Amino acid sequence: MDESYTSLPSSHLLGSVPAVVSEEKKTTNYEVPEANLQIFPPAIGADRGHGYQSLGSLNGGDEQQATNNWKGLFSISSYTQYFNVDADIVVDRIIGSMNPTSGNFFDKIEANPDLYGLIWISATLVFLLASLGNCATYLIHKQTNHSTSWSFDVSYVSVAACTVYGYVLVVPTAFYFLLQYLGISASLVRFWCMWGYSLFIFIPTSFLLIIPVELIRWIIIILVSVASACFVTLNLKSYIQGNDLMLMLVSSFVLQVALALFIKIWFFP
């Protein structure tokens, strides 16, 4: 046989075993660049190239999130975050407001405070005070004078609106700025939320105050005023715990009772 054929390499043939070549593995140190994850789209109004939010900014807290969602005082989208609640959440908070001794209402609204109570509960209360107040006045006058005819006093509407909205806006705001002045961190939205839901108890009470018996009316309004005042005071106490602000707590109790007494005297005399 020709020697040229026998000298062909046989490593590629079937069944052949290639020689084991020992090579020293070389290790390479490779540093993974730090990831800079960003969220799209960029923040509205930011400079080009600098408007993206990093992923870590998502854990900045509720206040940071509220600031990022704020698009101006006269923009409706700035307030949608405070109405991002479903019926189950609202009902749970309403039930919580009817329990004056729990003192944990701020825990319920910690993650998502809303302005449902401030707007809609207050509007419902204004409507009921104006309508049922006129009805109660008519029934009282009808007992003493059977010839009394029905007449709707429109002034009840304006008085009810000024009283309810003035109270639920001014009082929490005053407490907020007072706490800020004393160096205590507070949330105005949470205060508005808590005081707004505290008014719900006056909605079923308005129906009970139609009863044309003065003694029963006073018993009802006293019980309701104490329950509502305890709800506000105990929750405010849990919010500012660790600070000796007894005068502030007493003031919140007195103001809530004063509101209840005003409702009784003016709308259901």
Side-chain angles (χ1 to χ4, degrees):
M1 183 179 293
D2 193 352
E3 294 181 356
S4 62
Y5 290 98
T6 59
S7 63
L8 292 175
S10 60
S11 60
H12 66 284
L13 298 178
L14 183 63
S16 62
V17 180
V20 178
V21 179
S22 176
E23 295 183 358
E24 183 180 358
K25 295 183 178 180
K26 298 180 180 180
T27 58
T28 304
N29 294 330
Y30 177 74
E31 295 182 357
V32 179
E34 183 180 358
N36 185 16
L37 301 180
Q38 296 174 333
I39 299 175
F40 186 84
I44 298 176
D47 296 336
R48 183 176 180 85
H50 299 282
Y52 294 92
Q53 303 177 19
S54 62
L55 188 63
S57 64
L58 291 177
N59 298 325
D62 295 335
E63 298 297 334
Q64 183 66 30
Q65 182 181 4
T67 303
N68 294 336
N69 293 334
W70 185 259
K71 297 178 177 60
L73 182 63
F74 300 102
S75 176
I76 297 178
S77 59
S78 298
Y79 304 96
T80 54
Q81 57 182 318
Y82 301 120
F83 295 91
N84 187 24
V85 289
D86 55 24
D88 294 335
I89 295 176
V90 172
V91 170
D92 180 66
R93 294 177 178 182
I94 288 176
I95 295 175
S97 69
M98 300 289 285
N99 184 9
T101 60
S102 61
N104 63 345
F105 189 78
F106 283 113
D107 295 335
K108 293 179 179 291
I109 66 174
E110 181 67 26
N112 185 24
D114 68 272
L115 298 180
Y116 179 90
L118 178 71
I119 303 299
W120 298 115
I121 292 179
S122 299
T124 304
L125 184 59
V126 168
F127 171 77
L128 290 178
L129 289 179
S131 56
L132 298 180
N134 273 280
C135 182
T137 302
Y138 169 76
L139 294 177
I140 290 293
H141 291 166
K142 192 70 174 178
Q143 285 184 330
T144 57
N145 186 5
H146 296 285
S147 61
T148 301
S149 58
W150 166 263
S151 62
F152 187 86
D153 190 350
V154 183
S155 65
Y156 276 37
V157 178
S158 58
V159 174
C162 292
T163 301
V164 173
Y165 280 106
Y167 179 85
V168 81
L169 286 172
V170 174
V171 172
T173 305
F175 276 90
Y176 167 76
F177 282 110
L178 180 59
L179 289 176
Q180 292 291 322
Y181 175 76
L182 296 175
I184 301 174
S185 178
S187 171
L188 180 58
V189 175
R190 288 181 175 84
F191 278 11
W192 276 340
C193 181
M194 190 267 290
W195 257 281
Y197 277 98
S198 72
L199 300 181
F200 179 82
I201 195 172
F202 295 108
I203 292 179
T205 302
S206 300
F207 290 94
L208 297 177
L209 291 177
I210 299 179
I211 302 174
V213 180
E214 192 67 11
L215 178 60
I216 296 179
R217 286 181 174 184
W218 276 109
I219 293 175
I220 292 172
I221 200 64
I222 290 174
L223 294 176
V224 169
S225 63
V226 172
S228 180
C230 288
F231 169 76
V232 172
T233 304
L234 293 178
N235 281 284
L236 188 61
K237 180 181 178 181
S238 67
Y239 191 84
I240 60 175
Q241 58 184 351
N243 299 279
D244 188 11
L245 298 173
M246 184 57 65
L247 181 60
M248 180 180 293
L249 298 178
V250 173
S251 300
S252 65
F253 187 93
V254 172
L255 287 172
Q256 199 77 3
V257 171
L259 174 66
L261 294 179
F262 180 82
I263 290 175
K264 165 64 183 71
I265 295 172
W266 184 270
F267 297 99
F268 303 95

